[in-house]
Amino acid sequence: MIRVLLAEDMHMIRAALGALLRLEPDIEVVAEVTRGDEIVDAALRSRPDVAVLDIELPGIDGITASVELRERVPGCRVLVLTAMGQPGQVHRALAGGIEAFLVKDAPGDRLADAVRRTAQGLRVLDPELVASALAYGASPLTPRETAVLKEAARGAPAEEIAGRLHLSAGTVRNYLTSAVSKTGARNKVDAIRIAEDAGWI
């Protein structure tokens, strides 16, 4: 039996995914969580072979959670699900060593097959997602520019961002200017839109 941990914050989607997987004779859902910051503790208790994680979760996102999961429960492989499949998310997943990346609207038998292949240690990547990521390219932003732009996307002013990231307000403004330039945007708002559309933030 392939033991599966399921992390999805939308109740109906989690129930549907769980029901699909429970139809398979060789797959057992051993844990379900609704938040990214619950994944590792649940995995330590249930010892799954595969963690099926939504990419967008409260607490921490699925990609970030997968990094900690691999450190704390090294025998558990990760299959990330996404509704949108933004190119930047695919790059982050690949860079983070995620074994499988699939869109949520894939047919049910494809999900079960992806779980089996992930459990076997094979890479399972949706070809359309990979093609889109390759066409779009990796994020041009540095980690600091990404962090600053992410805070700006939440509506935080430069002074507040500076306090959160332990920078000066002038340095924050410089990072924002650099992010605008690197994304080819007209202004900060446009840079945020471009980065969000690409999945860079």
Side-chain angles (χ1 to χ4, degrees), residues 70-117:
R70 271 201 320 281
E71 290 172 0
R72 304 277 304 279
V73 191
C76 180
R77 300 186 180 279
V78 176
L79 166 60
V80 169
L81 300 179
T82 179
M84 295 174 288
Q86 296 168 318
Q89 292 178 337
V90 179
H91 279 286
R92 279 185 61 214
L94 294 174
I98 287 173
E99 292 86 358
F101 202 87
L102 199 64
V103 289
K104 281 186 183 178
D105 63 355
D109 58 344
R110 202 151 154 219
L111 173 62
D113 181 60
V115 167
R116 290 184 187 101
R117 290 167 58 85

Side-chain angles (χ1 to χ4, degrees), residues 106-175:
D109 58 344
R110 202 151 154 219
L111 173 62
D113 181 60
V115 167
R116 290 184 187 101
R117 290 167 58 85
T118 302
Q120 292 167 12
L122 302 173
R123 266 217 151 147
V124 183
L125 301 170
D126 188 292
E128 290 181 19
L129 291 179
V130 174
S132 172
L134 291 173
Y136 216 97
S139 173
L141 305 173
T142 66
R144 272 298 193 187
E145 289 162 351
T146 301
V148 168
L149 202 58
K150 193 180 286 189
E151 292 293 335
R154 295 183 180 125
E159 291 74 17
E160 187 178 325
I161 296 171
R164 284 186 193 167
L165 300 180
H166 308 291
L167 302 168
S168 71
T171 300
V172 166
R173 282 188 276 275
N174 288 342
Y175 280 131

Side-chain angles (χ1 to χ4, degrees), residues 29-95:
V29 179
V30 294
E32 295 185 26
V33 297
T34 59
R35 297 177 53 87
D37 49 15
E38 296 172 344
I39 291 170
V40 171
D41 286 344
L44 286 168
R45 287 192 304 271
S46 61
R47 294 293 169 178
D49 303 303
V50 177
V52 178
L53 314 179
D54 181 17
I55 201 165
E56 297 292 339
L57 290 166
I60 58 174
D61 66 74
I63 296 175
T64 303
S66 72
V67 174
E68 186 181 352
L69 185 59
R70 271 201 320 281
E71 290 172 0
R72 304 277 304 279
V73 191
C76 180
R77 300 186 180 279
V78 176
L79 166 60
V80 169
L81 300 179
T82 179
M84 295 174 288
Q86 296 168 318
Q89 292 178 337
V90 179
H91 279 286
R92 279 185 61 214
L94 294 174

